[in-house]
Amino acid sequence: DAGVIQSPRHEVTEMGQEVTLRCKPISGHNSLFWYRQTMMRGLELLIYFNNNVPIDDSGMPEDRFSAKMPNASFSTLKIQPSEPRDSAVYFCASSRDGVYGYTFGSGTRLTVV
Amino acid sequence: DAKTTQPNSMESNEEEPVHLPCNHSTISGTDYIHWYRQLPSQGPEYVIHGLTSNVNNRMASLAIAEDRKSSTLILHRATLRDAAVYYCILKDSGAGSYQLTFGKGTKLSVIP
């Protein structure tokens, strides 16, 4: 089991550019979560999907953020346009029905300059 | 979401047991108690969860008070690799309840 796979591990981009973060959940897990972690705000849930359908996106900070899950094995989190305050570590996690233990990926460290 | 209260930080000597407390006085009957930990530069990692009875697994034990208003995560023999932030989280077991809401957690330092 390769676990939850996130790419890229690190991303440095200029303000105003589009950023796409990618996540491959564990096979058989039907719930997927995107979190953001900063020193100031800790771990925040941005959005989660169940069976590829977005269930709650109330944590998405602004319309600049969007997330998709086109199939059970892939999800993206897009920021367009990016701003320096979006700099954070973004984690993807998956679970089975949101009931059992969640498995997190290693995260993507995003730096917007 | 029901809230939890944890100490900001704790220290332990290597190879000694560690008891990490968590208060959750407003816990509801359908809330499970989950523990996760986050090692430096890594994503959170599931440790253990329980509802009413004490639970054991290969990583840790979870002791739950009879009134369920508090719980304790027990690491039986701390190693340097256990240095992490430990999060105590209440999660509703109801259908359609998916969120895990993280607080600030307890930063555990292990002294060689």
Side-chain angles (χ1 to χ4, degrees), chain A residues 10-62:
Chain A
H10 302 273
E11 176 82 39
V12 180
T13 190
E14 291 185 348
M15 183 174 63
Q17 295 297 306
E18 177 180 296
V19 176
T20 300
L21 311 181
R22 297 172 176 78
C23 176
K24 176 178 169 54
I26 289 175
S27 177
H29 283 190
N30 61 345
S31 298
L32 184 137
F33 310 82
W34 283 100
Y35 283 83
R36 177 174 70 174
Q37 186 170 35
T38 62
M39 288 292 291
M40 291 293 292
R41 301 174 68 93
L43 270 162
E44 302 173 279
L45 177 63
L46 300 178
I47 185 171
Y48 67 94
F49 296 83
N50 194 53
N51 295 323
N52 310 338
V53 176
I55 303 299
D56 187 348
D57 65 354
S58 60
M60 297 286 260
E62 299 171 36

Side-chain angles (χ1 to χ4, degrees), chain A residues 37 42-43, chain B residues 4 6 20 22 34-39 44-45 47-48 73 84-89 101-106:
Chain A
Q37 186 170 35
L43 270 162
Chain B
T4 63
Q6 300 178 252
L20 295 162
C22 181
H34 286 244
W35 283 83
Y36 281 74
R37 72 179 184 180
Q38 187 173 19
L39 280 63
E45 174 187 29
V47 177
I48 200 167
L73 180 71
V85 178
Y86 287 79
Y87 298 96
C88 170
I89 303 168
T101 303
F102 287 79
K104 296 189 185 305
T106 297

Side-chain angles (χ1 to χ4, degrees), chain B residues 12-18 75-82 109-112:
Chain B
S12 173
N13 292 319
E14 194 177 10
E15 298 189 6
E16 289 189 358
V18 182
L75 307 180
H76 295 286
R77 200 162 156 268
T79 69
L80 296 178
R81 292 185 65 239
D82 291 321
S109 301
V110 180
I111 303 166

Side-chain angles (χ1 to χ4, degrees), chain A residues 9 31 33 35 37 40 43 45 48 50 55-56 91 97-102 104-106 109, chain B residues 34 36 38 41-46 49 87 91-93 96-104:
Chain A
R9 284 300 309 274
S31 298
F33 310 82
Y35 283 83
Q37 186 170 35
M40 291 293 292
L43 270 162
L45 177 63
Y48 67 94
N50 194 53
I55 303 299
D56 187 348
F91 290 105
D97 291 323
V99 174
Y100 303 100
Y102 292 28
F104 283 76
S106 299
R109 181 174 295 277
Chain B
H34 286 244
Y36 281 74
Q38 187 173 19
S41 301
Q42 295 189 28
E45 174 187 29
Y46 167 80
H49 76 283
Y87 298 96
K91 185 178 178 302
D92 191 346
S93 61
S97 297
Y98 301 98
Q99 296 105 311
L100 266 184
T101 303
F102 287 79
K104 296 189 185 305

Side-chain angles (χ1 to χ4, degrees), chain B residues 57-89:
Chain B
N57 66 22
R58 65 175 179 80
M59 289 181 70
S61 296
L62 176 58
I64 301 173
E66 203 168 321
D67 63 5
R68 301 209 325 126
K69 294 188 176 188
S70 65
S71 61
T72 302
L73 180 71
I74 302 166
L75 307 180
H76 295 286
R77 200 162 156 268
T79 69
L80 296 178
R81 292 185 65 239
D82 291 321
V85 178
Y86 287 79
Y87 298 96
C88 170
I89 303 168

